């Protein structure tokens, strides 16, 4: 199949999932065209069947805001005609589902019929998409998609509650590649960041308020009072400066490392003992699943779709949002004993295996085939 995948190219989970999906489909022989405004962070272009089309939005003095959605729809039209694209798969509703609808309408005028699959990822529904300024357009474009998927049962329920959705929604969970594990590289060297006696605790996110990074730091503060530990914070975003200040206020600067945006997440996770995800909202929690792949148990909130990923008492522990003391106690339950830590590490990995790419990608392929058959 010839598929155009529209995505955000940055560090967010939706872009990562879309990129990994496209690369896996390309390995299976499909021709995949990524369309977005810059090269996606995890995209390896040096592979067969992979194309990247950059959307440029020319500036003009009249524009206070650049019309990205318009430029994207035009690019989708051009790429479809040039390469014979058969289907659009758009990740994150805003503005991708709306641009896809526009592209489809333009192409229809010229005799092409291109089905749209829209995958909803979370904040496009629960945060941004439900804002009154976007809601009518998001609702319309979801209903105009030929097929709609969400990454968890929880997000499906939220979508149905927030919007008047007339489409059937199929849940297709996010995935990891189980063959990517600690044997991927030879430099899993924990000595670079911590002493042998210290437990390593990790958090990865885009540092937005809903990630509750202040909870991450307070949980860590309690842990390090009981056992030697280091906290690695990977990612960047609006909360970073305030969090650097909080670390100074709590006099934790010798034990907390801010790593910024990094592509080496697997290298961090390979020597991590625990992953913290206390988010206020989370449709799935791909970061937690990636941690579990690398045998890192997860202490998380029970928000949104996290309970579909992290299993309480098995791959880690879940607590209500904001229950910092409970999360710290649960972390210590795992970290204080080598035996218990080892057991949780193995269980985390087993739980991650439930979401292997080989189980999930065929579900998308079946959906594409159905879309092409019924178009
Ligand atoms: O907020 C983020 O973490 C980024 C965001 C995105 O759109 O890239 O993540 C959402 O999609 C991920 C991939 O499906 C999910 O794993 C995250 O849980 C989801 N984030 C939220 O729902 C807040």
């Amino acid at each position: 199949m010839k598929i155009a995948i529209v995505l955000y190219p940055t560090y967010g989970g939706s872009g990562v999932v879309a990129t990994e999906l496209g690369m896996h489909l390309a390995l299976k022989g499909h021709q995949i065209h990524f369309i977005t405004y810059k090269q996606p962070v995890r995209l390896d272009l040096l592979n067969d069947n992979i194309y990247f089309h950059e959307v440029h939005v020319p500036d003009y003095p009249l524009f206070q805001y650049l019309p990205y959605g318009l430029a994207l729809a035009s690019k989708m039209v051009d790429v479809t005609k040039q390469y014979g694209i058969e289907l659009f798969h758009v990740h994150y509703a805003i503005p991708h589902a709306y641009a896809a609808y526009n592209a489809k309408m333009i192409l229809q005028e010229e005799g092409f019929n291109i089905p749209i699959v829209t995958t909803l990822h979370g904040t496009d529904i629960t945060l941004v998409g439900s804002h009154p300024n976007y809601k009518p357009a998001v609702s319309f474009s979801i209903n105009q998609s030929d097929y709609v998927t969400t990454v968890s049962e929880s997000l499906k329920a939220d979508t149905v509650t927030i919007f008047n959705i007339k489409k059937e929604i199929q849940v297709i969970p996010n995935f990891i590649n189980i063959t990517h594990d600690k044997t991927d590289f030879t430099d899993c060297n924990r000595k670079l960041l911590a002493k042998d006696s210290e437990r390593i605790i990790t958090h990865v996110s885009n540092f937005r308020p809903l990630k509750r990074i202040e909870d991450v730091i307070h949980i860590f503060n309690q842990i390090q009072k009981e056992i030697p530990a280091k906290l690695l914070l990977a990612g960047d975003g609006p909360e970073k400066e305030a969090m650097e200040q909080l670390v100074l206020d709590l006099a934790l600067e010798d034990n907390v490392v801010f790593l910024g945006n990094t592509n080496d997440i697997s290298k961090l996770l390979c020597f991590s003992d625990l992953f913290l995800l206390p988010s206020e909202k989370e449709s799935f929690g791909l970061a937690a699943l990636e941690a579990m792949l690398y045998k890192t148990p997860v202490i998380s909130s029970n928000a949104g779709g996290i309970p579909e990923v992290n299993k309480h008492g098995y791959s880690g522990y879940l607590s209500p949002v904001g229950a910092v003391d409970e999360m710290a106690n649960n972390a210590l339950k795992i970290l204080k004993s080598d035996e218990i830590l080892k057991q949780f590490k193995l269980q985390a990995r087993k739980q991650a295996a439930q979401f292997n790419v080989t189980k999930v990608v065929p579900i998308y392929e079946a959906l594409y085939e159905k879309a092409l058959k019924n178009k």
Side-chain angles (χ1 to χ4, degrees), residues 206-363:
N206 49 23
F207 280 59
R208 282 185 290 158
L210 63 78
K211 299 291 172 182
R212 296 184 68 98
I213 299 165
E214 68 279 16
D215 287 4
V216 170
I217 293 167
H218 287 301
I219 295 165
F220 175 74
N221 191 22
Q222 294 195 28
I223 294 172
Q224 62 84 41
K225 284 181 183 157
E226 301 264 331
I227 55 170
K230 274 263 156 63
L231 175 63
L232 309 182
L233 293 168
D236 206 344
E239 292 286 278
K240 187 155 168 224
E241 222 182 300
M243 294 306 114
E244 284 169 340
Q245 188 56 50
L246 179 59
V247 165
L248 291 175
D249 294 346
L250 295 169
L252 289 173
E253 62 273 24
D254 291 340
N255 296 72
V256 179
V257 186
F258 286 87
L259 293 153
N261 278 333
T262 167
N263 265 341
D264 286 338
I265 297 299
S266 52
K267 290 189 185 167
L268 294 183
L269 294 172
C270 95
F271 51 59
S272 295
D273 297 306
L274 198 75
F275 190 85
L276 298 179
L277 193 70
S279 308
E280 188 181 318
K281 286 185 196 304
E282 205 70 68
S283 69
F284 183 90
L286 183 64
L289 180 61
E290 291 196 324
M292 286 153 53
L293 165 67
Y294 288 91
K295 293 192 185 146
T296 307
V298 175
I299 294 294
S300 68
S301 71
N302 57 9
I306 301 178
E308 295 171 49
V309 181
N310 185 22
K311 293 295 165 200
H312 189 71
Y314 186 70
S315 52
Y317 286 103
L318 297 103
S319 303
V321 174
V324 167
D325 293 349
E326 187 182 310
M327 291 187 202
N329 287 336
N330 285 337
L332 285 163
K333 266 191 226 166
I334 296 177
L335 293 173
K336 272 188 168 173
S337 146
D338 286 343
E339 264 314 297
I340 295 176
L341 177 59
K342 196 172 151 199
Q343 186 191 339
F344 268 86
K345 277 176 170 281
L346 291 175
Q347 289 168 182
R349 166 73 179 203
K350 274 194 189 160
Q351 173 63 8
Q354 306 293 319
F355 297 86
N356 196 17
V357 66
T358 52
K359 292 187 183 174
V360 178
V361 170
I363 307 175

Side-chain angles (χ1 to χ4, degrees), residues 136-202:
V138 172
S139 186
F140 173 81
S141 49
I142 293 174
N143 280 320
Q144 292 300 322
S145 302
D146 295 281
Y147 297 89
V148 181
T149 77
T150 59
V151 296
S152 63
E153 292 290 347
S154 155
L155 183 59
K156 176 177 176 176
D158 283 344
T159 308
V160 170
T161 307
I162 298 170
F163 296 97
N164 179 13
I165 297 298
K166 299 177 190 110
K167 290 276 159 193
E168 176 66 23
I169 297 179
Q170 183 176 353
V171 177
I172 306 182
N174 291 330
F175 54 87
I176 38 80
N177 191 334
I178 206 76
T179 61
H180 292 174
D181 62 10
K182 294 181 188 201
T183 54
D184 260 353
F185 38 81
T186 52
D187 54 350
C188 182
N189 186 358
R190 77 189 310 280
K191 285 190 171 50
L192 291 173
L193 285 159
K195 296 180 199 130
D196 284 348
S197 58
E198 289 173 323
R199 297 292 197 211
I200 298 183
I201 296 154
T202 304

Side-chain angles (χ1 to χ4, degrees), residues 112-124:
F112 299 90
N113 180 7
I114 311 294
I116 302 170
V117 175
T118 295
T119 293
L120 306 172
H121 279 272
T123 45
D124 47 352

